[in-house]
Amino acid sequence: QVQLVESGGGSAQAGGSLRLSCAVSGNTYSRYCMGWFRQAPGKEREGVASIRSDGSTSYADSVKGRFTISQDNAKITLYLQMNSLKPEDTAMYYCAAARLSWWYDGGCAQVPYNAWGQGTQVTVSS
């Protein structure tokens, strides 16, 4: 089982930046999707960004051009660099992992994520 621990959340002013980290440990997957999700009070959880084991990335329209998902070379830490923050980015942010079957060649949006971190709060003030 994969264990995920997020860090790096906090408070920022609109227009500022934060970088979230997600430490990955345990029985990691050779083929996978990893993603950042967020949930604001009273709203449904939404996908923010994802990265496949082959390095391909995808982003929600609301964060394109502002957020960047990446991994370190050892693939033991997942990052989310968040620039030009807006108050509507305020939410609890979670990282998640999904194992991909050998035959799966699609994107990360519809795969079942079965490992989740505990979340880190991001608050952006205007």
Side-chain angles (χ1 to χ4, degrees):
Q1 184 69 353
V2 174
Q3 288 84 46
L4 306 171
V5 179
E6 303 95 336
S7 60
S11 298
Q13 298 243 323
S17 299
L18 286 172
R19 188 174 82 156
L20 305 184
S21 299
C22 175
V24 183
S25 62
N27 295 325
T28 54
Y29 312 137
S30 59
R31 299 185 76 248
Y32 59 83
C33 282
M34 292 203 69
W36 286 99
F37 295 78
R38 67 186 181 187
Q39 187 166 22
K43 294 188 177 181
E44 291 189 357
R45 186 177 63 200
E46 62 172 343
V48 174
S50 65
I51 186 166
R52 273 184 48 141
S53 42
D54 63 1
S56 59
T57 59
S58 63
Y59 297 90
D61 287 343
S62 58
V63 306
K64 277 181 184 176
R66 300 189 298 121
F67 290 11
T68 303
I69 189 171
S70 64
Q71 285 184 289
D72 65 337
N73 288 339
K75 298 185 178 181
I76 59 174
T77 306
L78 180 73
Y79 300 102
L80 185 68
Q81 178 67 44
M82 305 186 294
N83 298 329
S84 302
L85 284 164
K86 302 176 180 181
E88 51 263 42
D89 295 320
T90 295
M92 185 72 79
Y93 283 71
Y94 301 89
C95 69
R99 177 188 294 177
L100 299 183
S101 299
W102 64 269
W103 47 264
Y104 184 79
D105 197 32
C108 292
Q110 301 301 324
V111 298
Y113 287 83
N114 58 0
W116 293 83
Q118 83 289 349
T120 187
Q121 178 68 37
V122 171
T123 302
V124 183
S125 58
S126 58

